[in-house]
Structures are given as structure tokens and as C-alpha cells.
Amino acid sequence: MKGTILVCLKELVEKRFGKPAWDGALTAAGVPGQLFLAPADVPDETVMKVLAALSKTTNTSGQALMDAFGDYWANEYATRVYAAYYRQHETAMDFLLGMDKLHQTMTKTIPNAHPPHFTYERKGDRSFVMTYASPRHLGAMVPGLVRGVARR
């Protein structure tokens, strides 16, 4: 997994719970003091250990943490890092329907990038079903991301 997920998560945790919560989670996950860089490859196992430790450290359910991450990613982190993409879309629906293409385009130039894949089934002019597929099984992040995009 790319380090950008943990860079964003660190920002979120430090803003909402404080730096000691982040540091404590890293220690509990067995990676004390680890600095994650956005383009770096981070083992999936490390990310999962950090998420589990954060849940305990912050006394927040795993799903609530994933939802908070999704909202933070969509409304704070990604708006800075991927601002050009946000400007291309007028509605949340257009934004979400372009997510798979964005992942395919962006990751062509990023070594070892393996983003999730999305398929879509239109259910009318204003609705669709978005299906997540990834060997990482991080689908629990998607509802928070979708709600975050809708809020934006």
C-alpha cells in the first residue's frame, strides 16, 4: 500500500486525538517512531496493525475510524493533494463515477501502485451502485469516503 494512506491517517489522528495517540498507536503496532512518506510502499500488514492499534489507542471502533478517515481524506487531505481532480467534477456522482478511471490513470506512473477497482451499475439519472474490489479488503473505508465526497 502507498504511504499516502498513513500520511493522511496521521494528520487526522493528530488533529482529532493528539500526537501522543499517533505515537502510542505506532508503538502498539510494533513500528515506534516510524515516518511514513506518501510515495513509499508500506506493507499492508503494517497498515492493518496501525489501524487496529489506533482503534484501541483512541477508543474508537474500527468502522468509526474508517468513516472519519474517509471524510478527512475527501474533505481535507485529498482536496490539497489532488485539487485538480476535484475541479474537474461538478457533482459528487460525477466525481465518484470517475474514481476508477482516476486510479487507472494516476497509477500508470507510480511504481507498485495497486489501487482498488470500482465498477458501476446505473440505477437511474441520480443513483448508481458502486462496487469495490481489492485484495486488500479495505471496503470498510468506502462508505466514509463516499459520504465525505457527498458532504464536499
Side-chain angles (χ1 to χ4, degrees), residues 105-152:
T105 302
M106 286 183 65
T107 58
K108 284 181 182 178
T109 60
I110 301 172
N112 297 319
H114 304 287
H117 176 63
F118 297 99
T119 56
Y120 310 93
E121 180 184 349
R122 293 296 293 248
K123 295 291 187 177
D125 291 342
R126 297 185 53 158
S127 64
F128 64 96
V129 173
M130 182 177 184
T131 303
Y132 164 94
S134 172
R136 292 195 170 100
H137 307 291
L138 291 173
M141 284 185 177
V142 176
L145 290 163
V146 170
R147 282 191 294 274
V149 167
R151 187 170 75 81
R152 173 123 182 107

